[in-house]
Amino acid sequence: MRHPACWGHRPAVMGVINITPDSFSDGGRFNRADLALNEASRQIRDGAQVLDLGAQSTRPGAVDVGAEEELSRLLPCLESIRAAHPQVILSVDTFLESVARAALQAGADWINDVSGGRRDPAMLPLVADAGCPYVLMHSRGDSQTMDNCTDYGDQGVVAGVLQELRLSTDRALQAGLSREQLIWDPGLGFAKTTEQNLLLISHLEALQQDGIPLLLGPSRKRFIGAVLDQPLAKARIWGTAAVCARAVEAGIHVVRVHDVGPISQVVTMAAAVARQGS
């Protein structure tokens, strides 16, 4: 299954490859098969153990392009990378069952679903049948509405996210998935304010009490820009690095990032320090 629960003492680095014209920090850079393959090869050399391919932007305000367009973007890139790098773990970032099905048939290993199974009722049965690892992310609403879905009531964001991840997990298990397939993602930037994102990062240990591996995706996100007063997404690498160092401290299994080389070094060094302190 090639699941991160079986890996070593440091988080795996998942490299982001956006096969879209409109992703928030690198839209249009890798939306051809040759460009995506070159980026995949570079990220693997830089230390990525997993590559996450996405052909539908999920940034705030993004418009759904539909399965046909998503597949037309995704499959040539996926097939090219799979042929060139048969051993690398390939994840596909989609919330549509038909896209996930075609991606698995084309050689994808994981499905990374930002909706946690909410957007397409057929997704969970597909993943159950496939038996593949499934990144179940916490989110609310969709790209058009999530910024208006940040009220977690008196319980607060940490307890609220944990409760909703558990509910999504119950739905996944009822659909036939095993717990061993699951990887949780608390969904930084999705239906969370800057303060709420920071609270989640400071309480990562609380999100691991159920024993399900955790993936964290802080890379270049708005809350880092807000803290650093940095409007340029590509200039948020040091803020991303700080969050990834905290992820190592908390025992996170996977960090999902754009800047694979520098963050691989951060993760390796932070893990070495953590081992000496244990």
Side-chain angles (χ1 to χ4, degrees), residues 2-16 43-44 46-52 88-91 110 135 183-184 208 213-219 240 243-245 247-271 275:
R2 301 207 286 177
H3 190 288
C6 304
W7 297 346
H9 55 268
R10 51 153 279 180
V13 174
M14 171 188 270
V16 179
Q43 291 190 9
I44 293 167
D46 285 349
Q49 290 108 317
V50 186
L51 300 178
D52 193 39
V88 72
I89 297 174
L90 295 182
S91 168
W110 296 12
V135 181
I183 303 162
W184 277 359
Q208 298 184 81
L214 206 67
L215 179 153
L216 199 69
S219 190
T240 301
V243 178
C244 289
V248 173
E249 177 189 44
I252 299 304
H253 287 77
V254 186
V255 290
R256 180 183 183 273
V257 297
H258 299 81
D259 302 290
V260 168
I263 300 304
S264 290
Q265 292 188 20
V266 169
V267 166
T268 300
M269 192 68 209
R275 285 199 303 276

Side-chain angles (χ1 to χ4, degrees), residues 105-138:
Q105 291 171 349
D109 301 291
W110 296 12
I111 299 300
N112 178 12
D113 183 355
V114 299
S115 80
R118 292 183 298 106
R119 297 287 297 276
D120 189 338
M123 177 67 88
L124 294 176
L126 167 71
V127 175
D129 289 343
C132 64
Y134 179 65
V135 181
L136 188 159
M137 197 184 88
H138 176 272

Side-chain angles (χ1 to χ4, degrees), residues 2 22 25 47 53 69 76 104 106 145 157 177 185 190 204 218 240 264-265 268:
R2 301 207 286 177
D22 59 340
S25 72
L53 281 61
E69 175 63 21
L104 291 169
T145 62
V157 67
L177 278 82
D185 179 347
F190 287 75
L204 289 173
T240 301
S264 290
Q265 292 188 20
T268 300

Side-chain angles (χ1 to χ4, degrees), residues 20-31:
T20 57
D22 59 340
S23 290
F24 77 97
S25 72
D26 57 2
R29 291 190 62 202
F30 312 121
N31 60 346

